[in-house]
Each structure stands twice: as structure tokens, then as C-alpha cells.
Amino acid sequence: MDRTRSVKVGLGVWSLIVALIALVVLTFLPTPYVIQRPGPVYNTLGTAADKDGEQLPLIAVEGAETFETAGSLDLTTVQVVGNRQRTPSWFELALAWTDSSKAVVPLDSVFPEGVTTEERDAQNATLMVDSQHEATAAALGELGYDTGAQVAVVEADEGTPADGVLEADDIITAIDGSPVDSAKQLRQKIQDAEGSAVELTLLRGGEEKTVKVTPQERTADGKTTWVVGVTLRTDYDFPIDVTIQLDNVGGPSAGMMFALGIIDTLTPGELNGGEDVAGTGTIEADGTVGPIGGIRQKLYGARDAGADYFLAPESNCDDVVGHVPDGLTVVSTSTLEESVHALEVIADGGDVSALPTCD
């Protein structure tokens, strides 16, 4: 009996030793995943530190009257744990899998093969700058300002219909006689032509010209589009100066909250009624609110920062349903106008439950 018990104890000890060795090995083995978790939250109505650590207004306006604000209009962020140089351990992944505020995602989805961390950071910084310009254009447009939008050519791709027809810095003012003030509008007109030649009116070196270009069909991922083979940008001539101070945050997902912060700064009263509201979403100059990544982590980040309401892109609703932390009311939105209306209802103490949500 003692011998049998001794054997069982010995087997148990060895099993424990093997398990511990396996755990240690797994701890140091590289994994093909990274972890997303709630990141810092920034109040667009407050201040943020510059590169020297000095606190400056996150949104500063010159050339127009500004007004006092209250409460918060928070933009939310996501932090990524891990990179191609150092991925989380299997133990860290196991802990993250059990935490509803975190997500375990494939490494390649965040750090594409062949793209360094530095290159990724540079791309996100560019997207952040672009989102600030689009947010300013959307906010000023919502307030009735003329933003002086012009669609300019960055370059024409070799071997495409635009090659030899369009040149860098051409300003496209019209397509088939219809005025153009955004790259999105121009692309849609090209799709509507369904392959027929389009006439572009443009300014080249200050001189007006008219050219014709015939779009070519392109199919990718089963979707067919019409392209002319040109990279575009939208330039603005804003009537007032808007400066957004936010270092060490990249990507385009703060666009909508930037726009709302600008509107609140430029209008009397408190757009949010002094309440604590958070949100996320890309923004285009025409006010379209687009989807973002990591919304589940942003919901928890907003709740932990004290927000009572959260403005979420309608296009992210599938990721929102079933993942809203207690104490947070989510309102879905697809345009800047809808976001402003939601804030007005909140400010007036209206029926928030009647606003669109993610069901």
C-alpha cells in the first residue's frame, strides 16, 4: 500500500515538474498574437501635453470668437501590447482571453509583414494629421463656413488612363460640368459614369484646361470599380485657424470627436450640456462618420474614464452589441449632424433612449 502511494506521489511530482517546465517554455516562446487593451482617454475640450510636457489646449482657435465649455467630449484610444520584436507570452494571452476589456488579435493584422514598427508609427501619424484636417473641414462646414476645398492631383499612375493626361498639382474643379470639392465626390462621379469617358475641368499653373479620360475597370476581392489611376488630395483654405495639439496618438479614429470639440468651442453654450460624453469614429469633410478598430476596448476605456454616454459609428454596431460595459449608454451615429443632434438631446435632458443605438 505504501509502495503504491509512493509511486502515485512520485508520478504527481513529476507531472507537476513537467507542467511547470512546459509553462516556462510557453512563457518564452514567441506567439503570433498581440493584445489590444483600453488606452488613454483625452478630453477634446481640455488640455494635452506637448513634446516638452507643457499643457496646452487640445483644440485652439484663432480668428473667431470662442466660448466656454464644460463636461467632456472624450476621444478614446487603444493600446497594443506586443510587436514583431516582442510578442506577448502564451500566459499573457491566456489572461487577456479571460478579460472582456481586452482582445487577442493576430500579429499580422496590426503589424503587417514587411512593415517595421517605425513605418507603422509614421503611417499612423500621417493618418492622424489627415483626420485633423478632415475634422476641421467637417466642423466648419457644419457651422456654415466656406472651407475653400480644392481637389488636387498628387500623381498619375504609369500605364493608367490618367497617365499623360493629368499632372501633379492639377486642381480638378469640375467633372462633366458639375463642380467638385472633394475627392470622394469625384470618385463617385467616376463610378456613376460606368466606364464612359468623363470630362475634367482643371487648373494647371493657374490656367484652366479641359481634358477627357476614360476610366478602366478594376476588380479586387470580387468588387468591380472604375478607376482613372490617379492619387488625389483635398486642400483647404480655412477662414479661421484651428490647431489640434495631441502628441503620441496616431490613426484616424479621433476625427469625429475632434470635429465635435471644434463645434463646441465655436458655439455658445455647452454642446454636451456639461455631461461626460466619449466616442470614436473617423470623419470625412462632408460629415460622414466611418468605422474604426478596437471599439470594445474604447467602450471600456470610456467607462473607466467616467463617461456616461458613448457615440459609436453605426458601421461598428456589430462589434458593440453584447460588449457594452455597465453604466455606459451607447448612441450610434453615421454623420456629424447626427452626432450633434445626439449631444443636443443629452444637453436638453431629452429622451436619449429614443436616439439610434446598437441593438
Side-chain angles (χ1 to χ4, degrees):
M1 190 67 143
D2 289 342
R3 178 181 174 81
T4 302
R5 182 178 301 159
S6 178
V7 170
K8 289 182 177 179
V9 170
L11 289 173
V13 171
W14 277 108
S15 297
L16 179 60
I17 292 173
V18 170
L20 289 174
I21 292 174
L23 181 60
V24 171
V25 171
L26 285 175
T27 298
F28 291 99
L29 278 178
T31 63
Y33 300 98
V34 292
I35 299 169
Q36 291 180 334
R37 66 185 182 189
V41 170
Y42 300 91
N43 181 11
T44 61
L45 305 178
T47 62
D50 66 7
K51 61 183 180 180
D52 298 320
E54 182 182 357
Q55 290 290 324
L56 299 174
L58 198 149
I59 295 174
V61 176
E62 292 184 5
E65 184 179 6
T66 59
F67 300 88
E68 290 293 323
T69 60
S72 60
L73 288 173
D74 290 335
L75 67 88
T76 49
T77 67
V78 174
Q79 282 188 334
V80 177
V81 179
N83 52 44
R84 286 202 170 274
Q85 288 70 48
R86 191 274 182 190
T87 58
S89 68
W90 288 104
F91 181 69
E92 290 173 302
L93 295 178
L95 293 178
W97 263 310
T98 63
D99 188 336
S100 57
S101 71
K102 298 178 181 177
V104 176
V105 298
L107 175 66
D108 288 343
S109 68
V110 181
F111 298 94
E113 187 73 42
V115 178
T116 67
T117 301
E118 292 74 18
E119 289 172 337
R120 174 181 176 272
D121 290 344
Q123 292 170 357
N124 282 334
T126 299
L127 290 172
M128 168 59 80
V129 172
D130 289 344
S131 76
Q132 292 174 359
H133 290 161
E134 294 294 297
T136 302
L140 297 185
E142 180 73 17
L143 294 175
Y145 286 91
D146 180 1
T147 61
Q150 291 184 324
V151 179
V153 174
V154 177
E155 63 178 353
D157 299 333
E158 187 176 350
T160 66
D163 189 15
V165 179
L166 295 175
E167 299 178 1
D169 296 324
D170 282 348
I171 297 173
I172 302 174
T173 59
I175 177 171
D176 291 334
S178 298
V180 168
D181 59 11
S182 75
K184 179 181 178 181
Q185 179 188 31
L186 178 60
R187 293 189 184 100
Q188 186 57 56
K189 290 286 187 180
I190 291 172
Q191 300 311 305
D192 293 344
E194 297 182 334
S196 299
V198 294
E199 184 177 81
L200 301 178
T201 305
L202 53 89
L203 293 174
R204 180 178 295 166
E207 181 182 349
E208 185 172 277
K209 292 181 175 292
T210 300
V211 299
K212 281 195 174 184
V213 60
T214 303
Q216 64 182 191
E217 192 174 21
R218 178 177 296 173
T219 301
D221 299 325
K223 182 180 179 181
T224 298
T225 56
W226 297 96
V227 300
V228 297
V230 66
T231 303
L232 302 169
R233 71 174 186 270
T234 303
D235 295 331
Y236 301 99
D237 184 15
F238 296 130
I240 60 178
D241 292 328
V242 178
T243 303
I244 297 177
Q245 164 62 45
L246 188 60
D247 291 335
N248 301 320
V249 176
S253 65
M256 179 183 71
M257 299 310 294
F258 284 147
L260 292 173
I262 293 169
I263 291 173
D264 200 1
T265 301
L266 287 170
T267 53
E270 299 156 354
L271 186 61
N272 57 4
E275 299 287 346
D276 294 317
V277 182
T280 187
T282 64
I283 195 77
E284 295 184 23
D286 65 0
T288 301
V289 173
I292 50 82
I295 193 164
R296 297 180 188 179
Q297 289 67 57
K298 292 177 179 179
L299 290 166
Y300 280 92
R303 191 277 309 272
D304 293 344
D308 299 308
Y309 304 94
F310 191 96
L311 301 177
E314 183 182 36
S315 44
N316 277 120
C317 272
D318 286 347
D319 295 320
V320 170
V321 174
H323 300 281
V324 180
D326 291 340
L328 194 64
T329 299
V330 173
V331 177
S332 68
T333 177
S334 60
T335 67
L336 181 59
E337 183 180 13
E338 290 177 358
S339 299
V340 171
H341 172 66
L343 290 177
E344 290 171 345
V345 171
I346 292 171
D348 293 340
D351 185 6
V352 177
S353 65
L355 294 171
T357 189
C358 293
D359 293 327

